[in-house]
Amino acid sequence: MDRFDRLWLTNPTLAYADWQAREAAGVDRRPFSARSIVQHEAMFERFRRHLLAAGVTLATFGSDHIDAFWQAPEAECYTAATRMRYLKLLDRLCRHLVAIGVREGNPAEKLVRDGQWPQDDPLPIFLPEDADGQLQAHVQPHAGDDLAAIRSRAIVAFFLGTGVTVAEGRSAEVADLQPAAAPPYLHVPAHGAPDARTVHLDAFAVPILSAWLVRRATLPIASDLLFSLKAGGTPITEMSLGKIVRAALETIAFEADDMSPRILRNTFCRRQLLAGRSSEDVSKLMGLVSSRTCDRIAATRISVGA
């Protein structure tokens, strides 16, 4: 095992990024797109953190650790298609690790073989207009809110009022958010394939985001991240974001199969479509490379009588 192969055990994140850049390819043997590479690295990081918490390495994890991954709080909203994408990634990874002598077997092989891609895409989940309005009211500033309450309202308003992804929200910096501009906006830097873009804030989100920036400026945080509260400036975790969104939805008595920030992104998308914007325009606004997601959400306007 040479020094590059040992890197899988000493610095898995760096090893995976290097492998993706040099060798990894899809079933047609064509290199992955820049967007796919970003997505794969994010998926790998989630699984790596799961293994780290379980006290195992890329050389020693088994199928039981893959099964346990689906039980993690941040994975509870994964669709059947998302699980298959993870299994394909892990199968591809483990075959490589076996080939270079880091592993002795591939625990994902049988899981991929037994798994099936869903025949139909699941219907997108979003907040109905009345629930959207209730959540918009919930995130307004409240007198007497402590630091945690202000931050939670601001986080929910941020995702509901901008439609950004969790990754974009976690990496957003204070300077990216400009609620006092005319019109108020969020700058979303380029992440992989999607270009940088500007998202105009929905009006309901401006008061609480402005209040959060005022409070955020008083905190001794060694970071420019918008929603970091720790002194070291580390990003807020996906699990924490999920808990905050779920708690807000429970406050307005809304329940759905997906209670993650994704439902807020879908709701933002549908709100823009109902306002008369085209699927193509909304897709660009959300940093999507195609209008497929927006087209599916647009179709729900007919099914629910909007």
Side-chain angles (χ1 to χ4, degrees):
M1 187 185 301
D2 63 24
R3 65 186 182 90
F4 289 107
D5 296 341
R6 285 194 294 272
L7 198 62
W8 286 101
L9 301 179
T10 59
N11 192 333
T13 299
L14 181 59
Y16 188 84
D18 176 70
W19 177 57
Q20 283 266 101
R22 292 187 298 107
E23 299 181 32
V27 294
D28 55 4
R29 303 310 304 161
R30 291 191 301 177
F32 291 116
S33 68
R35 182 182 181 87
S36 293
I37 288 175
V38 171
Q39 292 174 336
H40 292 167
E41 289 180 355
M43 292 166 67
F44 175 77
E45 271 302 288
R46 294 187 191 101
F47 190 73
R48 183 193 65 79
R49 291 195 299 267
H50 167 69
L51 296 184
L52 184 64
V56 294
T57 70
L58 291 176
T60 59
F61 79 88
S63 58
D64 55 329
H65 297 104
I66 299 176
D67 290 337
F69 181 62
W70 312 132
Q71 310 306 316
E74 67 180 40
E76 64 180 8
C77 63
Y78 288 172
T79 64
T82 297
R83 293 191 180 200
M84 275 302 297
R85 291 188 184 97
Y86 266 100
L87 289 176
K88 296 287 285 185
L89 181 149
L90 293 175
D91 176 54
R92 188 166 56 246
L93 170 64
C94 288
R95 282 189 278 111
H96 174 69
L97 296 181
V98 169
I100 63 176
V102 173
R103 288 192 60 92
E104 294 184 357
N106 179 359
E109 181 179 11
K110 185 176 185 301
L111 297 175
V112 169
R113 189 170 61 247
D114 293 344
Q116 292 183 343
W117 287 100
Q119 296 301 309
D120 299 305
D121 287 332
L123 291 175
I125 299 177
F126 51 83
L127 297 177
E129 290 175 75
D130 58 342
D132 185 13
Q134 291 173 28
L135 194 57
Q136 291 180 27
H138 169 72
V139 299
Q140 297 310 305
H142 285 54
D145 272 351
D146 60 14
L147 177 61
I150 293 176
R151 184 187 68 157
S152 293
R153 293 187 201 278
I155 285 172
V156 174
F158 181 79
F159 286 106
L160 189 63
T162 65
V164 298
T165 66
V166 168
E168 290 169 340
R170 293 182 69 222
S171 62
E173 297 187 351
V174 171
D176 295 328
L177 182 64
Q178 297 293 330
Y185 70 88
L186 171 73
H187 170 70
V188 184
H191 293 276
D195 295 329
R197 65 190 192 277
T198 297
V199 180
H200 291 154
L201 300 178
D202 279 343
F204 74 84
V206 171
I208 186 62
L209 290 176
S210 299
W212 169 247
L213 286 180
V214 171
R215 188 63 178 271
R216 170 71 173 75
T218 68
L219 303 176
I221 300 175
S223 168
D224 294 325
L225 291 174
L226 181 61
F227 291 118
S228 176
L229 269 186
K230 296 182 179 179
T234 55
I236 188 170
T237 65
E238 290 186 29
M239 186 183 302
S240 295
L241 290 174
K243 289 179 178 179
I244 287 169
V245 171
R246 174 179 287 274
L249 294 173
E250 290 174 346
T251 298
I252 65 169
F254 180 84
E255 294 185 8
D257 291 338
D258 184 353
M259 302 272 276
S260 73
R262 184 187 297 109
I263 195 173
L264 306 186
R265 179 167 161 85
N266 287 346
T267 302
F268 171 87
C269 175
R270 190 167 185 270
R271 191 187 312 122
Q272 307 307 311
L273 294 168
L274 289 173
R277 305 189 70 165
S278 69
S279 290
E280 291 75 14
D281 286 345
V282 178
S283 296
K284 292 178 181 178
L285 185 65
M286 298 176 67
L288 298 169
V289 296
S290 78
S291 63
R292 181 169 177 270
T293 296
C294 290
D295 288 339
R296 291 174 57 232
I297 292 178
T300 65
R301 291 181 292 177
I302 298 175
S303 64
V304 298

